[in-house]
Amino acid sequence: MLALFAAVSLGVAFGGLVGAIFTGDWIYTIVASIAFTIGSIAGAFAAFGSFTGGLRVASSDDGLRLPGEMALARVEGIRRTGLSVNDQPQVELTLTVAPRSRAAYTTVHREIVDIVALPQVQPGSIIVVRRPDPNTANVLLDFNPLPDWARARDAERLRTGNERTVPLAEQTTAWASEPQTLSGAPRTPGNPWKRLLWVGVFGASAALVLLPVYDTIGRVAVAWASGDPTSAGVVHGNRHDEIVDALEQETGGSQFIRVGFYDEYAVAAAPSEPGALTIDSYTYRYDRTTHDGPELIQPQDPAAALFDTNEFDFSQIPGFIAAAKESSGIADPDSVIVVVQRSSVADESGALPVQAIVLIDSSYEDASVTFDLATGEVAA
């Protein structure tokens, strides 16, 4: 269960990381950080549970609990591996094992041994082992064997020459042990279906996290592939109509005082509710909108400053930006801002036209070009 929970958490973390990279949204960064921490802890506990499960099997002091065929063995050599758990060392033993069901063999076995039991596994010692699988060379040390085997062990320690039950190492053949856990128990073969389940859960969790931003990821990927990453942004993209529609949904109407398009976000000033003359601020960022509360500076005559976004074509803005670059001679500006609002100066008819002001800035120069949003022409 912990492993499954870890797969879910790490999948969410991966999805959050991808979301943060492609959208820049701070929420995805937080999700990725929290989920990764939880997944790492759950995964560590799952691994520790598996490890300690092997320890319990390998170090049981009840002979009846340990599975497999019993046998006598001689310790031919011992060395420390450098690993220890709770100050108990893992040792590597070279053993000559003499099963009753087959010919004796020599193998190498690793196991965590209680430091108190280390004198029992010194070279030349006779010990009792169990063979969990008769088809492999793997053994488990049994320091508390049943009485019959304890007597057999003690008797073998007194035998010499041809009387030995456990032959000399040079009289046997080597048989390599199968992979072992850190505790010494035979490693259980991995279940491919379980791994497939974990991978599936990981992928599904990541996909669910990214579900709300699939369009954003696709747009950013296309922009990166085209060599123009800025085209996935707000002001440089071609989604101005879409962004205005989203702001209309947030405000509940199409009346606005101002709409400003910046690199990664758009900011609008509009009535706090349809028909009101109190003006609030609204933001479009990370493909979602927010209501930010009252504008810091309220217009003196909001009714005169309002315009209806449904009456204008905001898809003209990319053309305005291109024309402003050409007329200003700033082909590669550091930043571009487009602000749509009513002019403060009346035209020949006495009306205040709605204008798109394109502000271009570079390291050494800047420019401002104003367009009439109704006609698409440069304002006089």
Side-chain angles (χ1 to χ4, degrees), residues 6 35 41 93 97 104 126 133 243 256 260 269 304 316 332 337 343 359 366 369 378:
I41 294 173
L93 302 173
V97 184
I126 299 296
D133 184 350
I243 293 169
F256 287 80
Q316 302 175 89
D332 189 20
I337 299 172
S343 173
L359 305 170
D366 56 68
V369 183
V378 176

Side-chain angles (χ1 to χ4, degrees), residues 23-99:
T23 69
D25 193 338
W26 60 271
I27 290 180
Y28 277 109
T29 302
I30 293 176
V31 167
S33 300
I34 294 175
F36 180 77
T37 301
I38 294 173
S40 298
I41 294 173
F45 273 105
F48 182 74
S50 175
F51 173 67
T52 55
L55 280 178
R56 287 193 294 272
V57 171
S59 63
S60 173
D61 58 2
D62 185 346
L64 294 175
R65 296 179 188 173
L66 291 170
E69 172 195 11
M70 297 182 72
L72 294 178
R74 181 190 302 107
V75 179
E76 306 292 352
I78 180 173
R79 75 174 186 88
R80 293 192 63 167
T81 64
L83 173 70
S84 62
V85 176
N86 293 332
D87 296 326
Q88 307 304 319
Q90 184 193 56
V91 297
E92 182 179 275
L93 302 173
T94 301
L95 301 174
T96 298
V97 184

Side-chain angles (χ1 to χ4, degrees), residues 339-360:
V339 178
V340 177
Q341 60 186 18
R342 283 198 182 276
S343 173
S344 59
V345 179
D347 59 15
E348 295 179 353
S349 66
L352 300 176
V354 178
Q355 298 177 329
I357 306 168
V358 181
L359 305 170
I360 299 178

Side-chain angles (χ1 to χ4, degrees), residues 207-221:
L208 287 174
V209 170
L210 294 172
L211 188 61
V213 292
Y214 279 169
D215 290 343
T216 304
I217 292 174
R219 182 173 64 250
V220 172

Side-chain angles (χ1 to χ4, degrees), residues 152-243:
R153 176 198 61 196
D154 295 341
E156 181 66 16
R157 290 171 177 171
L158 301 175
R159 295 190 177 104
T160 59
N162 294 330
E163 295 178 352
R164 292 188 182 98
T165 302
V166 183
L168 299 176
E170 56 266 24
Q171 296 174 335
T172 65
T173 57
W175 190 9
S177 294
E178 297 297 322
Q180 302 165 326
T181 64
L182 292 177
S183 62
R187 186 173 297 167
T188 303
N191 186 336
W193 292 109
K194 184 178 290 187
R195 292 193 184 120
L196 186 61
L197 172 64
W198 292 342
V199 171
V201 168
F202 177 91
S205 301
L208 287 174
V209 170
L210 294 172
L211 188 61
V213 292
Y214 279 169
D215 290 343
T216 304
I217 292 174
R219 182 173 64 250
V220 172
V222 169
W224 286 354
S226 69
D228 183 18
T230 60
S231 64
V234 170
V235 71
H236 289 290
N238 57 4
R239 300 180 298 125
H240 302 89
D241 274 330
E242 174 188 329
I243 293 169

Side-chain angles (χ1 to χ4, degrees), residues 121-324:
V121 289
Q122 296 307 303
S125 300
I126 299 296
I127 58 174
V128 178
V129 298
R130 285 184 178 264
R131 302 180 60 231
D133 184 350
N135 297 315
T136 68
N138 294 66
V139 298
L140 291 172
L141 307 184
D142 192 344
F143 293 111
N144 295 282
L146 294 173
D148 288 349
W149 280 96
R151 287 191 293 269
R153 176 198 61 196
D154 295 341
E156 181 66 16
R157 290 171 177 171
L158 301 175
R159 295 190 177 104
T160 59
N162 294 330
E163 295 178 352
R164 292 188 182 98
T165 302
V166 183
L168 299 176
E170 56 266 24
Q171 296 174 335
T172 65
T173 57
W175 190 9
S177 294
E178 297 297 322
Q180 302 165 326
T181 64
L182 292 177
S183 62
R187 186 173 297 167
T188 303
N191 186 336
W193 292 109
K194 184 178 290 187
R195 292 193 184 120
L196 186 61
L197 172 64
W198 292 342
V199 171
V201 168
F202 177 91
S205 301
L208 287 174
V209 170
L210 294 172
L211 188 61
V213 292
Y214 279 169
D215 290 343
T216 304
I217 292 174
R219 182 173 64 250
V220 172
V222 169
W224 286 354
S226 69
D228 183 18
T230 60
S231 64
V234 170
V235 71
H236 289 290
N238 57 4
R239 300 180 298 125
H240 302 89
D241 274 330
E242 174 188 329
I243 293 169
V244 171
D245 288 343
L247 289 168
E248 289 176 357
Q249 291 291 323
E250 181 66 42
T251 63
S254 58
Q255 296 291 313
F256 287 80
I257 296 286
R258 180 180 62 259
V259 180
F261 300 93
Y262 300 83
D263 286 340
E264 302 297 336
Y265 61 94
V267 177
S272 53
E273 59 182 33
L277 292 180
T278 51
I279 306 303
D280 284 5
S281 178
Y282 301 84
T283 300
Y284 176 94
R285 187 194 290 264
Y286 309 130
D287 287 359
R288 61 175 183 270
T289 56
T290 57
H291 186 174
D292 303 323
E295 276 273 280
L296 293 178
I297 301 176
Q298 296 288 314
Q300 293 183 349
D301 186 3
L306 287 171
F307 64 92
D308 193 329
T309 53
N310 288 333
E311 296 177 359
F312 300 97
D313 180 11
F314 285 84
S315 66
Q316 302 175 89
I317 289 179
F320 293 163
I321 295 173

